[in-house]
Amino acid sequence: MAKCPQVLSLNQARNRFVVLSGMGSKQRDGRFSLSTVKQETSIARVGLYKILKAKDIVMKIAIAQTRPVKGDLSTNLKQHKQLIQLAVANDADAIIFPELSLTGYEPTLAKALATHPNDSRLDELQALSNDHQLTIGVGLPTQSDRNQCISLVLFQPHQARRTYSKKYLHPDEEAFFVSGPNFPVLIINEIPVGLAICYELSIPEHAAAAYEHGAQLYVASVAKTLDGVNRAS
């Protein structure tokens, strides 16, 4: 495999990873290939991506695009649970939801809505993860010492919850959020998976860091359409 350049554009990243997001996917030539099944409900669209090595399925990841109710964590949580059950019914190993999926993308409400990963309202998600051996990633504003972060709260079976917070903020987010702590890869089914939140897809250094830490998949939690990301970048 060729040495990774110092930085990667998104197109360059797509030549090195399987890149998955609510906006679509791009398969990497060689080690892995991709098979896709898309399902729509009245509340969301779910793409179920089968990650293949040779002829064997090594992972199934569900990527959800939802229609959240503004600021209503309780209603949105019910919606998430329905989609998790859909992922379970399709034998998924993981399901990743969009940016700020549990509250909607509402920067002006973030301060009032921000919480922490161990919020008891999220306990049902941990139980679903435990019961179905499923990795679950949900979008939520989290509280830091300095301000609020845009975060992906991650639930893995019988493990402590982890938080991946957006490092690279778009300029129009800086009045409401701060850059937060994260990590380069998440292990799912023994495969290193790089995570990104929306605008981070546009930052070459972000893809490069994931690649340099061994990521074989690159999964983005995205609130915007592809055109919206392109305009933002």
Side-chain angles (χ1 to χ4, degrees), residues 16-219:
R16 290 164 170 77
F17 310 114
V18 177
V19 179
L20 306 181
S21 76
M23 301 182 299
S25 64
K26 175 73 174 183
Q27 76 176 52
R28 171 187 169 186
D29 293 334
R31 186 174 180 184
F32 291 101
S33 60
L34 194 65
S35 173
T36 306
V37 177
K38 291 186 177 179
Q39 299 190 30
E40 290 206 40
T41 72
S42 61
I43 57 173
R45 175 183 297 170
V46 175
L48 182 71
Y49 298 91
K50 300 177 182 179
I51 313 302
L52 309 173
K53 182 178 180 181
K55 295 183 179 180
D56 297 322
I57 297 174
V58 295
M59 188 192 310
K60 292 183 182 179
I61 298 184
I63 305 296
Q65 282 296 98
T66 61
R67 299 185 181 96
V69 178
K70 179 178 178 179
D72 191 339
L73 191 147
S74 178
T75 296
N76 294 328
L77 187 58
K78 292 177 183 177
Q79 177 194 84
H80 281 51
K81 289 189 289 184
Q82 291 179 48
L83 296 177
I84 289 167
Q85 293 295 349
L86 180 60
V88 169
N90 283 276
D91 299 318
D93 299 293
I95 181 168
I96 303 297
F97 287 87
E99 182 179 28
L100 298 179
S101 59
L102 279 175
T103 59
Y105 186 84
E106 303 293 340
T108 60
L109 300 180
K111 185 174 182 179
L113 295 171
T115 184
H116 53 86
N118 291 317
D119 188 321
S120 61
R121 293 175 293 179
L122 306 180
D123 288 352
E124 290 178 275
L125 298 180
Q126 184 64 60
L128 287 167
S129 174
N130 295 345
D131 291 345
H132 300 290
Q133 298 299 299
L134 181 70
T135 294
I136 301 169
V138 300
L140 193 65
T142 57
Q143 189 65 51
S144 75
D145 293 338
R146 296 179 293 135
N147 207 328
Q148 292 76 47
C149 296
I150 297 174
S151 297
L152 192 64
V153 179
L154 295 149
F155 304 83
Q156 293 191 287
H158 306 288
Q159 296 184 35
R161 298 171 197 179
R162 301 182 69 185
T163 302
Y164 173 96
S165 295
K166 192 174 187 177
K167 179 178 180 180
Y168 295 99
L169 299 173
H170 190 267
D172 64 11
E173 295 173 330
E174 292 175 353
F176 307 98
F177 301 102
V178 294
S179 174
N182 53 50
F183 46 89
V185 295
L186 177 72
I187 304 300
I188 305 175
N189 281 21
E190 300 182 357
I191 295 174
V193 178
L195 299 174
I197 298 178
C198 207
Y199 179 65
E200 291 182 321
L201 276 169
S202 305
I203 306 300
E205 292 85 355
H206 188 272
Y211 183 80
E212 289 164 359
H213 282 84
Q216 296 173 5
L217 308 179
Y218 191 63
V219 179

Side-chain angles (χ1 to χ4, degrees), residues 4-9 12-13 16 203-209 212:
C4 179
Q6 183 176 2
V7 295
L8 299 174
S9 68
Q12 288 172 322
R16 290 164 170 77
I203 306 300
E205 292 85 355
H206 188 272
E212 289 164 359

